[in-house]
Amino acid sequence: IAAERVGWRDAGEPTDGEFRKRLAPGPAPGGVGAAARALMHAPRPAFFPGVDDLPATLAVVRERWPERVAEIARAADEIVAGNLSLLGHAPMRVPDPVAWSRDMLRGITAPDAHWSRIAYLDPAVVGDHKLVWELNRHQFLVTLGQGYALTGREAYATRAAQLLVGWFDANPPKRGINWASSLEVAYRAIAWTWAMRLMVASPAFTEAIMARWLKVIEVSARHLERYLSTWFSPNTHLTGEALGLLYIGTQFPELSGAPRWRERGWEILLGQLQRQVRPDGSYFEQAIHYHRYTLDIYLHARVLGAAHGLHDVARVDEALARLATFLAWVARADGTIPLFGDEDGGRLLFLDSRACDDVRSPLATAASLLGYGALAYAGAPPSEEVAWLLGRRGLAALDHLASRPPAETAHAFCDGGFFVMRDGWEAEDAVLTVDCGPLGTANGGHAHADTLAFDLALGGRAVFVDAGTVSYTTSPAERDRLRSSLVHNTVSLDGASSSQPAGPFRWDVMTPGLVDAWHATAAGAVFEGHHDGYARLASPARHRRLVVSARHGWWLVRDVIESDGTHEAVATFQCAAGLDPAVVDGTLQVSDDGRAIVSVCPVGGAGRWIVEDGVASRRYGAREAARRARFAFRTTGRTAVTFVITRGAMSPWQVRHERHGAGEMVRLSGATADDLVLFDAAGTAVDGVRTDARVAWVRRRASDGMVESLLASGGTMVELDGMRVAEPAGGVVSAVRGRGGWEVARGDVPRRSTGAAQP
C-alpha cells in the first residue's frame, strides 16, 4: 500500500512498454495492439454455454421469452438516455459525463485520493458507499450487451464504449472509492467480461479501447490477488473476489498472470466451501440474501471450473445441492425469500428482470446442472437467465427433468437453526420459517437480532416479515433500529433487544437460539426453542417460544418469559408493506386491499394490542410504509401468552382456552378437525387425553371424534381415552391411527450437523 500511495507501483494505467512485460508470450505475440486484436478477433476460451453459442441462445430467448426482447431493449434505451435504476431507489438521472464517485442522492463526492485513504463507511465523507459502488459495478453494461446482441442496435454498444472510456479516465488504477473494495473490483471485472463477450463485434469497440480495457482488467486482477478479504469480510467478499480471479484467469490467456489467478481463485472457492456452507446447506452469516449471493457465486464458478477442467468440480456440485435445497425450502410460492439478516440490494449479475429476493432463476440453473427435479419445481417457471448461462442445451436439460415437489412439508436445518413448516408446495400454500440459530459468524456483520423470530407467507403473499435493511451507514440510529428485536417477529423485554449492536457490522451482545424440540408429522410440526439474551437485564429473564403448525389450518405461537422479576414485554408482528393490521374485539386482523387474510388471537395472558406505523425495505435503499402490531403484556415470574393465528377471519375456527391446574388447553374446532393442544398438562386428563408432556397436540375428526393423530414433546406418557399409547423416547412421540391400530414414531431433539434436506 505504501508503495502505491507514493506512486512507486501501479500509478495510473501502465504504458504500452510496461504492459508488454505482463503479457503472456504465447497467445498474443507482438505487444499490446496484438493482444487487443486477439480480444476482438481470435477464438476465445470456453465461457458460459449461453455465450459460447450465442446465435442459438438469442434464438431461444426470442422463442421462449419474446416479451423480454422488447423489455431488454427498453431498459437499454433508458441506459442510453442516462436513466439508471440502482438498488431499491427510484430511477435516477445520471449526468453526462458520469460523476462516478458521487452519491447522487445526497450530493456527496468521495475524495480523490489513494483508495486506502478513503473512509468509505463514513457517510459524511462518501455518502452511501453502496449506492456509489452499485453504479460502478457496471452491470448496466451487460444489459446494453444483451440489447445489442438481441437487436443489433449500435447505439447500445456506442454508449457502452463511451461509458467505459469515461470510467477509465475518471478512475485511474488505485485512485478513488471505486478501488477501495476488492469485491467491487471483482464484480466490475465480471460484468466487463460479459459485456465484452456480448459487444466485441461492434465497431464501437476499437483496438485502442480494447487495449485500455485489457490493461485495467490486468491491474484489477493483481489488485484482487494482493488485497483479498482474508481478514476483513472473509465472507461473500472473499468468494466473490475469488470468482473475479477465476473469471480473469480463465478468460484472458493474453495475460501472463492468468494461470496463477485461475488456480488461486479456484482454490479459495474450494477452500471456503466447508467454512461458509454448513452441512445442512445454510449459509454461515445467517443472512438469506447473502445465501443467494453464495449460490450464484458457486453456480458461476462451477460452470467455469467444469469448462476448464479444474479439479474437484464434484465438491462444488455437492455444495450447490445443499445451498439450493435450503433456498427451495424457505422460498415462498412466488420464489421470494424471507429476509432473515441483511439485504444489500444487489446481485452477482442481472441477466433477467426478477427481483433480488426472487430465487427461482438460480434454483432453475442448479436444477439443470445437477439434474434435481425438486429444484426444477422450485425454480419454475425458469427465466431467460438459464439460457444466458447454460444455453439451449442447459435449458433442454431443465425441460426434460421430472419436475416434482419434495414429499416432506416440514424440515429442520439444524446447523443454521432454521425450521420450516409448509402447508405444501402449491401456489396457495403457506410457509412459516423460524430462526433459532447462531447470530451469524465472527462479529455477526450481516445478522439481525431476530432470534426466535418467524416469517409467515400465504402463498406468494408475505404477511409477517423482517423489516429489511434500508441502509448500512447513512443513519446509525435507523440501522440499529431495523436490526433490533423490536422490529422482528419475536419478543422484546423492557424495550431491549435480544442482541446489542456495536456499529454497523458488529455486535456487543450476540444471542444464539437454542433448540429444545422439533418434530413433524403429516398433520404438521412442533418447534420449541429458547434464548438467554435477556439474562443481562437487571432482573434476568429467559424467552421460550413454541410454534405448532397445523397444515392447511392454523398456527400457535406460544411465548413464555421466565424470570424472578417483572418485565414489560412486547410480541411484535411486523406486517409486510401494503397490509393493514387492525384490532377487532381483541383480535388482530390483517387485511390486504380490504380483505382479511390473517387473524391473530391472544389467549392465556392479559395484554393490549398497539398498532403503529413503520417502514419495511424489501430492497436496500427502499422505504415503504409498513405497519406493525405489538401485543404488550407484563410478566411476573413465569408468564405465558399464546397467539392463535388463522387464515382470514377467526370465524372458520372456534377457539377455546382453559386452564387446568398449572397447565393450559387451547381447542380449535373447524369443519373437518377438532384440535386439542395441551401445554404443561402434568398428567391432568383433559377431554380424554392424559399426558405429562410439555406440549401435546391431538387431532380428532370433527365428524365422529375419532383420534387421527397426536404429537407430544417433553414427557414420559400419553393416554388417549384411557388407553396408553406410548412412552416417548427422547421426549418426543407422534402417532397416527392405522388399520391395525396406533402407529407410533419416537424421536429426539434435533442436533446440528444432521445434513441437508433431500432435493
Side-chain angles (χ1 to χ4, degrees):
I1 292 178
E4 289 181 2
R5 286 178 175 177
V6 297
W8 293 347
R9 182 170 65 188
D10 292 334
E13 290 181 29
T15 65
D16 285 359
E18 292 170 337
F19 192 62
R20 185 191 300 268
K21 301 173 185 177
R22 303 176 189 173
L23 293 173
V32 181
R37 289 191 293 275
L39 287 178
M40 300 166 71
H41 305 298
R44 301 308 301 161
F47 192 48
F48 287 79
V51 177
D52 288 341
D53 190 5
L54 190 57
T57 297
L58 298 177
V60 79
V61 170
R62 295 185 183 108
E63 174 189 337
R64 293 279 292 265
W65 300 277
E67 74 287 351
R68 286 293 296 144
V69 177
E71 290 172 3
I72 290 169
R74 283 195 295 271
D77 288 339
E78 288 297 310
I79 295 168
V80 170
N83 301 316
L84 292 180
S85 296
L86 301 173
L87 304 173
H89 300 289
M92 59 188 70
R93 181 79 174 178
V94 178
D96 194 8
V98 179
W100 295 105
S101 297
R102 188 171 182 81
D103 176 342
M104 291 175 288
L105 289 182
R106 295 164 184 83
I108 299 174
T109 300
D112 178 17
H114 186 267
W115 64 268
S116 66
R117 297 186 183 276
I118 297 174
Y120 58 81
L121 293 181
D122 187 344
V125 174
V126 304
D128 188 346
H129 66 288
K130 282 289 299 173
L131 179 57
V132 176
W133 284 346
E134 189 70 13
L135 171 68
N136 287 273
R137 286 186 174 185
H138 283 192
Q139 294 180 340
F140 52 82
L141 295 183
V142 181
T143 304
L144 290 173
Q146 290 175 308
Y148 175 78
L150 285 165
T151 69
R153 295 176 190 170
E154 284 295 335
Y156 300 155
T158 299
R159 184 56 179 154
Q162 292 170 348
L163 290 167
L164 267 175
V165 171
W167 194 91
F168 297 153
D169 292 341
N171 297 271
K174 310 306 179 114
R175 195 146 193 94
I177 187 174
N178 296 315
W179 290 92
S181 166
S182 292
L183 178 65
E184 302 307 312
V185 174
Y187 276 19
R188 186 163 54 245
I190 290 169
W192 283 350
T193 306
W194 275 83
M196 185 182 296
R197 294 294 293 260
L198 291 171
M199 291 184 287
V200 70
S202 169
F205 287 97
T206 64
E207 183 178 313
I209 291 175
M210 297 301 285
R212 288 190 76 183
W213 205 349
L214 185 61
K215 288 179 180 179
V216 180
I217 283 176
E218 194 273 346
V219 174
S220 297
R222 288 190 293 110
H223 186 90
L224 288 171
E225 184 180 34
R226 189 173 298 142
Y227 302 114
L228 288 164
S229 296
T230 52
W231 63 276
F232 178 78
S233 300
N235 42 36
T236 49
H237 280 245
L238 182 56
T239 53
E241 292 155 15
L243 182 65
L245 285 175
L246 182 64
Y247 259 84
I248 298 172
T250 58
Q251 298 307 302
F252 298 95
E254 296 82 4
L255 304 175
S256 62
R260 184 176 74 253
W261 299 327
R262 180 189 65 222
E263 297 305 318
R264 179 71 169 135
W266 185 248
E267 291 302 327
I268 291 171
L269 287 160
L270 288 178
Q272 289 298 307
L273 280 175
Q274 186 172 358
R275 178 172 176 266
Q276 297 198 26
V277 184
R278 297 180 179 126
D280 66 359
S282 61
Y283 172 63
F284 78 149
E285 283 198 285
Q286 211 74 2
I288 295 185
H289 176 81
Y290 284 86
H291 184 123
R292 188 256 165 86
Y293 260 132
T294 301
L295 177 59
D296 280 335
I297 287 168
Y298 279 99
L299 284 171
H300 282 234
R302 192 271 186 198
V303 174
L304 290 175
H308 289 268
L310 301 184
H311 63 92
D312 286 335
V313 171
R315 282 179 56 196
V316 179
D317 282 349
E318 190 275 334
L320 285 174
R322 289 184 282 127
L323 284 164
T325 298
F326 176 93
L327 280 188
W329 267 94
V330 301
R332 303 162 183 144
D334 63 350
T336 60
I337 48 176
L339 296 181
F340 290 104
D342 278 340
E343 190 279 340
D344 93 331
R347 281 172 60 180
L348 171 62
L349 208 62
F350 287 90
L351 294 173
D352 62 18
S353 62
R354 284 177 171 168
C356 293
D357 62 346
D358 185 337
V359 297
R360 287 174 294 175
S361 295
L363 292 180
T365 301
S368 177
L369 289 173
L370 303 173
Y372 288 174
L375 295 181
Y377 184 91
S383 75
E384 73 273 19
E385 178 172 296
V386 180
W388 291 109
L389 290 174
L390 304 182
R392 185 183 287 275
R393 287 188 178 181
L395 194 59
L398 180 65
D399 290 341
H400 284 93
L401 281 176
S403 175
R404 64 188 186 283
E408 296 178 291
T409 56
H411 191 82
F413 293 90
C414 300
D415 298 306
F418 291 102
F419 297 83
V420 187
M421 312 172 203
R422 309 182 68 103
D423 283 350
W425 298 88
E426 300 299 325
E428 297 303 317
D429 286 338
V431 55
L432 183 147
T433 302
V434 179
D435 182 357
C436 186
L439 201 79
T441 186
N443 296 320
H446 287 304
H448 287 193
D450 53 11
T451 308
L452 298 186
F454 69 91
D455 179 281
L456 175 64
L458 306 181
R461 185 49 165 123
V463 180
F464 297 127
V465 299
D466 184 308
T469 300
V470 177
S471 174
Y472 288 151
T473 59
T474 56
S475 172
E478 182 176 54
R479 171 71 168 148
D480 288 348
R481 182 168 61 253
L482 286 173
R483 289 186 295 167
S484 164
S485 301
L486 286 158
V487 294
H488 290 81
N489 300 313
T490 185
V491 172
S492 302
L493 297 184
D494 302 333
S497 184
S498 61
S499 294
Q500 185 66 39
F505 300 106
R506 297 181 64 88
W507 296 84
D508 268 341
V509 177
M510 299 176 64
T511 299
L514 300 172
V515 181
D516 296 313
W518 164 262
H519 204 68
T521 71
V526 171
F527 158 84
E528 290 183 88
H530 73 274
H531 73 76
D532 292 321
Y534 300 119
R536 69 185 192 276
L537 300 180
S539 177
R542 168 174 289 177
H543 174 208
R544 294 188 180 275
R545 171 162 274 186
L546 181 145
V547 179
V548 184
S549 172
R551 291 183 60 206
H552 303 293
W554 44 262
W555 302 266
L556 293 185
V557 177
R558 179 175 172 84
D559 290 308
V560 179
I561 308 301
E562 299 171 341
S563 175
D564 291 335
T566 298
H567 298 279
E568 300 299 328
V570 291
T572 297
F573 294 81
Q574 172 67 53
C575 295
L579 299 183
D580 183 24
V583 180
V584 180
D585 296 329
T587 294
L588 178 70
Q589 200 167 89
V590 180
S591 299
D592 185 10
D593 196 23
R595 178 178 63 89
I597 59 171
V598 163
S599 295
V600 183
C601 177
V603 297
R608 63 188 180 93
W609 286 106
I610 303 167
V611 178
E612 58 190 30
D613 294 332
V615 298
S617 177
R618 183 176 168 186
R619 191 174 180 194
Y620 186 102
R623 284 183 178 83
E624 294 183 275
R627 308 190 77 197
R628 70 177 68 95
R630 305 190 194 278
F631 187 78
F633 58 102
R634 174 168 290 185
T635 76
T636 301
R638 185 181 187 278
T639 303
V641 178
T642 301
F643 300 94
V644 181
I645 306 175
T646 65
R647 285 179 181 252
M650 292 296 298
S651 53
W653 293 94
Q654 295 180 5
V655 178
R656 195 171 89 230
H657 173 266
E658 296 178 2
R659 293 191 181 276
H660 295 271
E664 297 179 59
M665 175 205 78
V666 177
R667 181 190 292 281
L668 296 101
S669 301
T672 60
D674 189 35
D675 290 300
L676 179 69
V677 185
L678 300 174
F679 303 108
D680 304 313
T684 303
V686 180
D687 288 359
V689 180
R690 183 190 299 275
T691 179
D692 59 355
R694 222 171 26 248
V695 56
W697 167 27
V698 178
R699 165 161 287 187
R700 298 178 186 266
R701 287 200 299 256
S703 58
D704 58 9
M706 177 71 73
V707 175
E708 291 186 324
S709 66
L710 72 88
L711 197 160
S713 176
T716 62
M717 54 81 70
V718 180
E719 291 182 357
L720 293 178
D721 301 327
M723 180 178 66
R724 180 68 62 96
V725 175
E727 290 90 20
V732 180
V733 64
S734 65
V736 295
R737 189 184 294 276
R739 291 184 177 180
W742 285 100
E743 299 173 5
V744 179
R746 295 173 177 83
D748 201 352
V749 176
R751 305 299 178 190
R752 294 187 177 180
S753 301
T754 57
Q758 292 299 309

